[in-house]
Amino acid sequence: MRAFWEHGYEAVSIADLTETMGIKAPSLYAAFGDKRTLFEEAVEAYVRDFGAFSGQALTEEPTARRAVARMLREAAAFHTLPGYPRGCMIITAATNCTAQSEEVMRSLQGRRAQTVELLEWRIQEDIRSGELPGDTDAHTLATYGATVLQGMSQQARDGADRTTLERVAELAMAAWPAGRSDEEGEGGSAREA
Amino acid sequence: MRAFWEHGYEAVSIADLTETMGIKAPSLYAAFGDKRTLFEEAVEAYVRDFGAFSGQALTEEPTARRAVARMLREAAAFHTLPGYPRGCMIITAATNCTAQSEEVMRSLQGRRAQTVELLEWRIQEDIRSGELPGDTDAHTLATYGATVLQGMSQQARDGADRTTLERVAELAMAAWPAGRSDEEGEGGSAREA
DNA sequence: GTCTTTCTATAGCAACCGATACAGAAAAGG
DNA sequence: CCTTTTCTGTATCGGTTGCTATAGAAAGAC
């Protein structure tokens, strides 16, 4: 997983994997069957251990605004974990692809699209509930959230440190429209006028 | 150039290049000497024809704010040119790299860092001139600009259309602090209090 | 102990990688 | 016309890719 995370799908060879895993090629193929299958399992392990924060933030927080704020804040941390590759595996692991690994690319592309759709759905939910004004552009807003998230991954890869990214995440939220629940006061949860 | 732009450095083979260029391998090596050299020339051709907008915006505009606004607006167009690969070649062409092409990766990384440094320098210039308040965090602000720019490239690759990206660019500027020249009125150039 | 089952390591498969040696065709000079 | 030079195409180099057949070692059953 770490090898795929750092170098991407095609740039990691079977020889690299057998070397870092301490096993020989036949054992690897007996256990995983295929390089693609092994990659898919590595992706699922990554999502489980390091990539679940975005889905959790987008489902657990009460408003889309708080969800995105938390997602970006935690992304700053997860994209700069000490001792781990920088950036997000889902974003970077399949960007330079041959024709034969197009399916792998589209697989990760689907996962990214899933996150954007979930975010857009949360925004539309806030529009329906009156939390956000009725003329809010949900598609643009969701794309903006994904843009900042994926840009932070690239910046982490290029060496940006965690505190800088956390400040970027906080700054990015200044462009996000304030909802009804955080118009006055700042608790936003218990205080209802 | 288009092949490297779309698939990246390592994912394009010499056979791909000789096929799309209509020449055989020995002619290619006689003309360019090396795959790496050919890639570098392709990068320079890309920067000249499609990637100069960011440098121009960052040097020609009177303030850092207007520079970033223009850079992001034009990026939305250049990252979604009809008939060309999506996104920015400098950002995506060398992300999945083997150990042998680390130099290529660092070369593009250096070009990206150059843009961020130029942006940060423009911001500090505005701070010195009083256009921006003295406690402005130039490093965070420059990283934010680069984050949105690179995130837009990723979004373009994932299928975002031009108008959506232009709205994202405009929305992103809502997080950018207003300078002294655009506090009141909106011309900002001829009107001096 | 002996037999059976599971696992692992050696060796090698066809296909492709970047890069060249060499021969033949085309063009330029007289 | 002939010679010299430049260019292009065929064939191939050693190395690596993902993947596997086959033989040998380790472990469990009794």
Side-chain angles (χ1 to χ4, degrees):
Chain A
M1 183 193 71
R2 290 161 96 111
F4 282 133
W5 187 354
E6 182 168 3
H7 298 288
Y9 175 67
E10 284 202 322
V12 174
S13 71
I14 300 292
D16 295 332
L17 293 170
T18 57
E19 192 173 346
T20 59
M21 296 170 82
I23 60 175
K24 302 295 176 180
S27 305
L28 187 148
Y29 278 93
F32 301 100
D34 204 347
K35 187 188 179 185
R36 240 208 87 181
T37 310
L38 172 56
F39 178 75
E40 297 286 351
E41 291 197 28
V43 167
E44 281 174 22
Y46 172 82
V47 170
R48 173 167 38 81
D49 295 348
F50 304 97
F53 69 91
S54 58
Q56 282 179 8
L58 290 178
T59 53
E60 295 174 1
E61 291 296 319
T63 69
R65 185 177 211 281
R66 294 172 71 100
V68 173
R70 173 177 154 191
M71 179 180 77
L72 295 181
R73 187 179 353 107
E74 295 186 354
F78 276 102
H79 291 176
T80 59
L81 283 178
Y84 289 93
R86 321 275 297 187
C88 172
M89 180 179 177
I90 307 297
I91 299 173
T92 56
T95 58
N96 301 147
C97 289
T98 331
Q100 68 186 1
S101 63
E102 249 183 60
E103 289 185 17
V104 176
M105 193 189 118
R106 273 199 286 269
S107 168
L108 293 192
Q109 199 167 329
R111 286 179 188 267
R112 292 193 292 267
Q114 216 171 356
T115 301
V116 186
E117 282 166 20
L118 175 57
L119 173 54
E120 185 169 344
W121 189 82
R122 282 300 316 259
I123 296 169
Q124 282 171 337
E125 206 182 28
D126 278 8
I127 296 175
R128 280 191 291 269
S129 74
E131 167 74 14
L132 285 172
D135 62 341
T136 304
D137 189 344
H139 184 60
T140 297
L141 215 49
T143 305
Y144 172 71
T147 297
V148 175
L149 178 70
Q150 293 168 1
M152 284 172 64
S153 170
Q154 180 69 43
Q155 279 298 309
R157 286 206 132 221
D158 281 358
D161 60 312
R162 173 175 169 175
T163 55
T164 299
L165 289 181
E166 282 174 340
R167 287 172 187 158
V168 166
E170 192 189 346
L171 174 62
M173 290 312 293
W176 198 277
R180 195 182 51 181
S181 65
D182 35 30
E183 264 185 355
E184 282 171 56
E186 49 200 41
S189 61
R191 297 267 297 276
E192 285 277 336
Chain B
M1 181 193 71
R2 291 161 94 110
F4 282 133
W5 187 353
E6 183 169 2
H7 298 288
Y9 175 67
E10 285 201 320
V12 174
S13 69
I14 301 293
D16 295 332
L17 293 170
T18 57
E19 192 173 347
T20 60
M21 295 170 83
I23 60 175
K24 302 294 176 181
S27 304
L28 188 149
Y29 279 92
F32 301 99
D34 204 346
K35 188 189 177 186
R36 239 208 88 179
T37 310
L38 172 56
F39 178 75
E40 296 286 352
E41 292 198 26
V43 167
E44 281 174 22
Y46 171 83
V47 170
R48 173 167 37 81
D49 295 348
F50 304 96
F53 70 91
S54 57
Q56 283 179 7
L58 290 177
T59 53
E60 295 175 359
E61 291 296 318
T63 69
R65 184 176 212 281
R66 295 172 70 101
V68 173
R70 173 176 155 192
M71 179 180 76
L72 296 182
R73 187 180 349 111
E74 295 185 354
F78 276 102
H79 290 177
T80 59
L81 283 177
Y84 290 92
R86 322 274 297 186
C88 171
M89 181 179 176
I90 308 298
I91 299 173
T92 58
T95 57
N96 300 147
C97 289
T98 330
Q100 67 185 1
S101 63
E102 249 185 59
E103 290 185 17
V104 176
M105 193 189 116
R106 274 200 284 268
S107 167
L108 294 192
Q109 199 168 330
R111 286 180 187 267
R112 293 193 294 267
Q114 215 172 357
T115 301
V116 185
E117 282 168 20
L118 175 58
L119 173 54
E120 185 168 345
W121 189 83
R122 280 303 313 264
I123 296 169
Q124 282 171 336
E125 205 181 30
D126 277 9
I127 296 175
R128 280 191 290 269
S129 73
E131 167 73 16
L132 286 173
D135 62 342
T136 305
D137 188 343
H139 184 59
T140 297
L141 215 49
T143 306
Y144 173 71
T147 298
V148 176
L149 178 70
Q150 293 168 1
M152 283 171 63
S153 170
Q154 180 70 44
Q155 279 298 308
R157 286 207 131 218
D158 281 357
D161 60 311
R162 172 173 169 175
T163 55
T164 299
L165 288 182
E166 283 175 338
R167 288 173 187 157
V168 166
E170 194 188 345
L171 175 62
M173 289 313 293
W176 198 277
R180 194 180 55 180
S181 66
D182 36 31
E183 264 184 357
E184 283 170 56
E186 50 199 44
S189 62
R191 298 266 298 274
E192 286 277 334

